[in-house]
Amino acid sequence: MVEYLLTEGKSSENTTEYGILAVEDSGQMLLIDSIAENRSDVRSLCEMLTELEVELCHFENVVEDYLTDFCI
C-alpha cells in the first residue's frame, strides 16, 4: 500500500507551493514537488490517489494526467 502525503515548500519567488510525497510500505519513496500553490487542490489529489490505491509505479503518470486534464 502507498500513502500519499501533502508537502509544502517555497518557490524562488517566495510563494508557498505544495507537492505530494508517496511512501510505500517497503520504504520506497517518490516526491513530486511544486505541483500547485493551492493547498486544497493538492490535498484533494492526495486523497484521490489514496482512495484509488494508485500504485507507486503509476504515481507520476496519474499526477501528470490529472494536471493536464483537470488543470489545478
Side-chain angles (χ1 to χ4, degrees), residues 25-36:
D25 290 340
S26 67
Q28 186 175 0
M29 293 185 259
L30 187 57
L31 172 67
I32 301 177
D33 58 358
S34 302
I35 294 174

Side-chain angles (χ1 to χ4, degrees), residues 42-59:
V42 179
R43 186 181 58 225
S44 294
L45 179 54
C46 283
E47 291 170 358
M48 181 189 74
L49 290 163
T50 300
E51 183 179 323
L52 296 175
E53 298 181 2
V54 174
E55 294 179 29
L56 193 59
C57 62
H58 300 295
F59 171 49

Side-chain angles (χ1 to χ4, degrees), residues 14-40:
N14 207 28
T15 59
T16 303
E17 293 184 334
Y18 300 93
I20 301 174
L21 174 65
V23 182
E24 201 169 37
D25 290 340
S26 67
Q28 186 175 0
M29 293 185 259
L30 187 57
L31 172 67
I32 301 177
D33 58 358
S34 302
I35 294 174
E37 293 179 4
N38 186 315
R39 179 184 174 91
S40 177

